[in-house]
Amino acid sequence: MRHIFVLLYHLLLRRIFLLSVLLLSGCASYYGQLASGQLSLLQSRQSIDTLIGDPGQDAELRQRLALLLKARAFASSNLGLPDNASYRQYADIQRSYVVWNVFATPEFSVEPLQHCFPIAGCVAYRGYFHQSAARATAAELSLTGLDTLVAGVDAYSTLGWFADPVLSSMLRRNDEQLAALVFHELAHQRLYLPGDTAFNESYASFVEQEGLREWQALRGLPPPRAERERAYRQLVELVLATRERLRVLYASGQPEAIMRTNKQAEFMRLRQAYHRLRERDWKGQGYFDHWINQPLNNATLLPFGLYDGWTPAFARLFEQSGRNWPEFHAAVEKLAQLTDSERNRQLQALMTEQGQQTQTAGT
């Protein structure tokens, strides 16, 4: 369930010197565990070329890494993405996820608890390199009456400040998904606008989607299957509608006991709508059963809508750029230089144009 649980975790450790400072401040601290976790990744990296050339390594691992290197070369030569040391090394982290993010909201709010850090700024979660620490933090927050979510993350980007390796946790994906992830992360390394998550993630999501389509075509393979992606978009619509109804409920001024009852009714309504979609539109495919069957609360709704709200706008911009990657990236850079209001105005105009084009194509 990529868009939900593969939330990009940007450490933004700008200088190696900062790692040393944080480690000296005590590994028991929150900052210390971030620094020691990042340092552990750096120390466990191995050259992919060396692994591929070692007959003593697992044959399937060597085959998958060899294909990934080809996708990584394609990203730079065909998609205009950085040609650097990232994703040319491999790290076996010996666990399913590299970090676990902890989200929290008040009982009667859909707004996340914000955490502000030096360099990284304010984000809607805290990340931990150890699952036990993430769960302990979530438990402490729950005791104060907050809704919480612990979400495992199989990859994150340091935005080029370090040579990000391919992680063993990333290999849980199939080859298509793995290539898409590398395209996504390299897009972040090419352009990242601090403070505008929707812009950053929509841009990277478009590069991922279009890049994967071109990568598949180059290899003589059919385009990525769209059924699951359409199902995900339908799920997002359900979740965002639920979140908006909860927002109205929490602003209603009703007694807490009544809001608590109506809150649970909304989650029941969401589950019922999900099961109707599963049977009616997805032919019984339980794409997201694991998510819908977990205990639902305000925090479990937070990750939705973060990744691709502006993606159609970038699709339109790509067409306007003649489907030329360098021209497209240059146009995106110009958008990034605008004020927030002007950038959003232009993105909305692109969204409208793309919607009109889609309607015309469908008639």
Side-chain angles (χ1 to χ4, degrees):
M1 196 168 179
R2 179 174 187 278
H3 294 292
I4 300 174
F5 292 112
V6 185
L7 300 171
L8 192 65
Y9 179 59
H10 301 301
L11 290 179
L12 300 181
L13 298 177
R14 302 275 182 162
R15 298 175 179 85
I16 294 178
F17 171 74
L18 182 58
L19 281 171
S20 302
V21 172
L22 293 180
L23 286 170
L24 289 173
S25 71
C27 287
S29 70
Y30 177 72
Y31 292 107
Q33 66 90 26
L34 289 182
S36 61
Q38 177 64 41
L39 185 60
S40 176
L41 289 183
L42 297 177
Q43 292 174 334
S44 63
R45 293 175 299 182
Q46 297 175 272
S47 165
I48 291 180
D49 281 329
T50 300
L51 289 171
I52 292 172
D54 182 358
Q57 296 292 330
D58 178 76
E60 182 181 358
L61 174 64
R62 294 164 62 199
Q63 181 181 23
R64 296 201 69 196
L65 291 178
L67 180 60
L68 180 63
L69 279 188
K70 293 180 180 178
R72 203 261 169 264
F74 172 84
S76 297
S77 63
N78 291 59
L79 307 182
L81 298 176
D83 187 5
N84 56 23
S86 289
Y87 309 112
R88 303 184 191 277
Q89 297 172 303
Y90 174 73
D92 187 350
I93 62 174
Q94 302 289 314
R95 57 185 187 270
S96 298
Y97 297 107
V98 59
V99 292
W100 287 263
N101 287 341
V102 179
F103 296 85
T105 70
E107 182 183 6
F108 300 119
S109 174
V110 292
E111 298 303 322
L113 185 67
Q114 293 284 335
H115 305 278
C116 298
F117 308 104
I119 299 174
C122 297
V123 294
Y125 52 83
R126 295 185 74 174
Y128 296 84
F129 278 90
H130 297 283
Q131 186 179 28
S132 59
R135 287 180 171 175
T137 297
E140 291 175 3
L141 293 171
S142 295
L143 289 175
T144 68
L146 296 175
D147 286 3
T148 64
L149 167 69
V150 177
V153 179
D154 62 1
Y156 68 84
S157 172
T158 60
L159 304 180
W161 289 101
F162 300 108
D164 294 324
V166 176
L167 304 175
S168 55
S169 55
M170 295 163 60
L171 297 184
R172 301 168 66 210
R173 302 160 182 264
N174 62 34
D175 291 335
E176 179 181 295
Q177 294 166 339
L178 188 57
L181 175 60
V182 169
F183 300 157
H184 185 106
E185 302 295 6
L186 286 173
H188 282 304
Q189 292 189 16
R190 197 190 188 292
L191 177 65
Y192 184 83
L193 181 60
D196 196 334
T197 298
F199 178 85
N200 294 325
E201 297 301 341
S202 296
Y203 163 65
S205 292
F206 171 75
V207 173
E208 166 194 334
Q209 293 165 16
E210 179 59 25
L212 181 58
R213 190 195 65 77
E214 294 185 13
W215 170 239
Q216 294 287 91
L218 180 69
R219 298 168 64 211
L221 298 175
R225 295 178 61 186
E227 292 87 351
R228 185 184 177 94
E229 188 64 26
R230 282 196 296 268
Y232 173 73
R233 293 309 314 163
Q234 289 177 299
L235 176 64
V236 170
E237 290 174 7
L238 287 182
V239 171
L240 295 184
T242 299
R243 197 161 68 191
E244 188 56 33
R245 288 194 299 270
L246 287 170
R247 191 190 308 277
V248 172
L249 171 65
Y250 299 150
S252 67
Q254 298 179 38
E256 289 190 355
I258 294 177
M259 284 200 296
R260 195 168 288 121
T261 297
N262 290 337
K263 173 183 178 180
Q264 293 308 312
E266 285 295 343
F267 288 122
M268 179 62 70
R269 178 179 177 179
L270 173 60
R271 284 195 171 97
Q272 291 171 344
Y274 171 88
H275 287 296
R276 285 195 297 270
L277 267 180
R278 173 182 167 173
E279 299 308 315
R280 183 191 65 203
D281 293 3
W282 305 344
K283 300 178 181 178
Q285 291 290 329
Y287 295 119
F288 314 113
D289 284 2
H290 179 74
W291 183 83
I292 200 68
N293 290 331
Q294 71 177 320
L296 296 178
N297 59 38
N298 297 330
T300 59
L301 308 182
L302 288 177
F304 289 86
L306 292 178
Y307 275 80
D308 50 8
W310 293 122
T311 301
F314 288 105
R316 182 59 184 157
L317 189 62
F318 186 65
E319 295 296 332
Q320 289 182 352
S321 303
R323 303 183 65 82
N324 179 286
W325 283 103
E327 291 187 16
F328 167 72
H329 292 307
V332 175
E333 289 171 358
K334 289 181 180 179
L335 282 176
Q337 295 169 3
L338 301 175
T339 63
D340 291 350
S341 59
E342 179 59 21
R343 181 169 57 255
N344 288 340
R345 188 190 68 77
Q346 292 199 22
L347 286 169
Q348 187 57 60
L350 288 166
M351 290 278 286
T352 300
E353 289 182 24
Q354 183 66 6
Q356 292 171 344
Q357 288 292 320
T358 301
Q359 283 186 338
T360 301
T363 58

